[in-house]
Amino acid sequence: MRVAFLQTSPVFGKIKENVEKAAAKLKTLDASLVVLPELFSTGYQFKSKKEVSLLSEEAPQGWTSQRLIRIAKNKKIFIVAGISEKHCGRFYNSALLIGPKGFIGAYRKAHLFWNEKKFFTTGNTSFKVYDIGIAKVGMMICFDWLFPEVARILALKGADIICHPSNLVLPHCPQAMITRCLENKVFAITANRVGVEHRIKGQKLKFIGQSEIVAPDGKILCRASDNKEKIGIVEIDHKLARNKNITPLNNIFKDRRKKLYKPHIC
Ligand code: ACM
């Protein structure tokens, strides 16, 4: 199976432009599953709740969802993409999973980063794994990488591939995702963006690119540069993620000492 990421450089507030640019790339792509960055349609640095309100869309009724659904149907592909989602008067930093038959599900970011806390509601979706036929996939968004519970739960629920739309600004995630993959023996596709947003005085954000596809043994199968748009595609065997053995006597799930962990978990 071929899987891919789009590393893009959205212009803040230009939804149609950002989505059409990504759509043009999606149309030429030869992969079954493609991951786009967090908030790929809107850009990242919101200045007010009013802006969030103006740029948020319902899923799957909104224009961006419908545009992605059309592409996924025509190309018979699966797409994971980050948008600003409007739902029942609240706003979520969400990732949509869309396939050849249309909308499949949304994940709403559980661990909000910095100013996101001022504008978005903390996610209320569980960490769900979807069997999409070609693989079992789960979603997490950007800063969720720093909370190892997320990747662990998705792996325990059977995810072969973690789709990880991102707008990374801290430097550590590309390396940390190697550990997330290794400790859970899963594939991960991190789709980050590049470019700079400096819409708030004193808060210049430089997005670090380095989108990547990492294998269950921690091998980086493809990594983009830190400053250029890029399409990354690799062929993977998702079933490799179903073997949780490290040695003939070690299985990362069966070896867990749950009874020892339990008294410490609150
Ligand atoms: C982030 O979570 N967008 C850093």
Side-chain angles (χ1 to χ4, degrees):
M1 166 177 46
R2 284 160 77 82
V3 298
F5 61 74
L6 290 192
Q7 176 162 293
T8 62
S9 183
V11 178
F12 187 89
K14 304 278 184 201
I15 292 182
K16 292 232 155 122
E17 202 175 301
N18 296 331
V19 175
E20 287 307 337
K21 208 170 157 194
K25 289 178 180 161
L26 286 170
K27 281 184 192 163
T28 65
L29 205 77
D30 178 19
S32 310
L33 170 66
V34 188
V35 183
L36 276 68
E38 175 185 16
L39 298 170
F40 92 98
S41 52
T42 56
Y44 183 76
Q45 198 176 42
F46 293 95
K47 286 204 281 198
S48 64
K49 202 128 186 180
K50 175 116 192 288
E51 273 187 351
V52 181
S53 164
L54 287 171
L55 294 170
S56 294
E57 301 178 62
E58 290 187 355
Q61 305 89 334
W63 181 82
T64 298
S65 305
Q66 290 301 315
R67 186 76 185 90
L68 294 176
I69 288 169
R70 276 210 308 282
I71 296 167
K73 281 186 177 169
N74 287 340
K75 283 205 56 115
K76 300 194 174 24
I77 58 172
F78 292 89
I79 300 170
V80 173
I83 69 157
S84 181
E85 185 199 358
K86 183 183 341 195
H87 181 74
C88 294
R90 292 171 190 244
F91 306 106
Y92 296 94
N93 181 339
S94 297
L96 310 180
L97 172 61
I98 287 165
K101 292 188 184 149
F103 177 73
I104 299 169
Y107 163 68
R108 296 178 178 144
K109 189 174 184 178
H111 302 97
L112 298 173
F113 179 71
W114 199 358
N115 286 341
E116 291 171 32
K117 290 192 171 194
K118 297 181 188 165
F119 304 130
F120 293 109
T121 300
T122 308
N124 56 1
T125 45
S126 60
F127 303 107
K128 214 172 150 185
V129 171
Y130 298 86
D131 187 346
I132 58 171
I134 55 168
K136 292 182 183 173
V137 301
M139 294 180 277
M140 62 184 210
I141 300 177
C142 202
F143 194 48
D144 284 331
W145 71 267
L146 196 56
F147 301 83
E149 293 88 348
V150 181
R152 175 66 95 196
I153 291 166
L154 291 173
L156 285 170
K157 287 185 171 177
D160 304 311
I161 306 170
I162 294 178
C163 301
H164 183 209
S166 295
N167 270 195
L168 297 162
V169 289
L170 301 179
H172 315 290
C173 178
Q175 288 306 100
M177 286 309 290
I178 296 171
T179 306
R180 291 291 95 80
C181 289
L182 202 53
E183 69 199 0
N184 294 297
K185 294 208 81 190
V186 289
F187 288 92
I189 307 170
T190 297
N192 192 23
R193 59 162 292 179
V194 289
V196 171
E197 285 188 9
H198 195 174
R199 307 186 65 248
I200 300 173
K201 206 166 166 228
Q203 291 184 21
K204 181 175 171 182
L205 296 178
K206 181 173 183 332
F207 301 96
I208 67 161
Q210 300 171 75
S211 299
E212 63 185 6
I213 301 171
V214 181
D217 62 359
K219 191 165 170 217
I220 301 165
L221 303 175
C222 174
R223 184 183 273 178
S225 77
D226 64 359
N227 60 4
K228 289 193 179 58
E229 295 193 356
K230 162 96 177 158
I231 301 173
I233 307 183
V234 297
E235 180 87 33
I236 65 163
D237 175 4
H238 67 283
K239 292 221 169 86
L240 292 176
R242 296 184 185 177
N243 174 6
K244 303 297 183 190
N245 293 331
I246 298 284
T247 72
L249 295 182
N250 291 103
N251 177 288
I252 54 159
F253 286 173
K254 290 187 188 142
D255 282 0
R256 294 168 72 229
R257 304 290 310 280
K258 287 187 269 183
K259 278 199 188 122
L260 293 183
Y261 307 156
K262 213 167 180 174
H264 305 286
I265 294 171
C266 30

